[in-house]
Amino acid sequence: EVQLVESGGGLVQDGGSLRLSCVASGFTFDDYSIGWFRQAPGKEREGVSCISKGDGSTYYSDSVKGRFTISSDNAKNTVYLHMNSLKPEDTAIYYCAASPTPLCYYPSYYDYWGQGTQVTVSS
């Protein structure tokens, strides 16, 4: 069965850092783009970052650009999200997802989703 498992969330102070991991199994990892999304209480899910299977290009939302970095280790079927200079407004459940297309900035094309990991940034 296809699985995406997130880890690395937790409680961090304003200005701190975390590294999230997304481990994939049950499909050919190299054939999929991987994206990170988040959802805060009372708000809709939003895209955070993604890495394209087409050419490895990376994309970031304006709210995290310059603070977050996405990377992949294909040998380990793992994608990471390095989160620096965290702010209270980054508090959310973070999900990773997989898309069969190289156009990872189109959220409608994601087929598989993980269960999420909680990130809480205290002020």
Side-chain angles (χ1 to χ4, degrees), residues 74-119:
N74 289 0
K76 297 181 178 180
N77 288 180
T78 301
V79 170
Y80 304 97
L81 186 67
H82 302 261
M83 310 165 69
N84 299 316
S85 301
L86 284 162
K87 307 173 182 179
E89 50 263 46
D90 294 318
T91 295
I93 300 175
Y94 283 71
Y95 302 89
C96 65
S99 169
T101 84
L103 307 175
C104 68
Y105 40 83
Y106 292 121
S108 62
Y109 291 126
Y110 284 87
D111 292 337
Y112 308 119
W113 294 82
Q115 293 299 306
T117 185
Q118 177 72 48
V119 172

Side-chain angles (χ1 to χ4, degrees), residues 6-10 18-21 117-119:
E6 304 96 334
S7 63
L18 287 172
R19 187 184 75 167
L20 306 184
S21 299
T117 185
Q118 177 72 48
V119 172

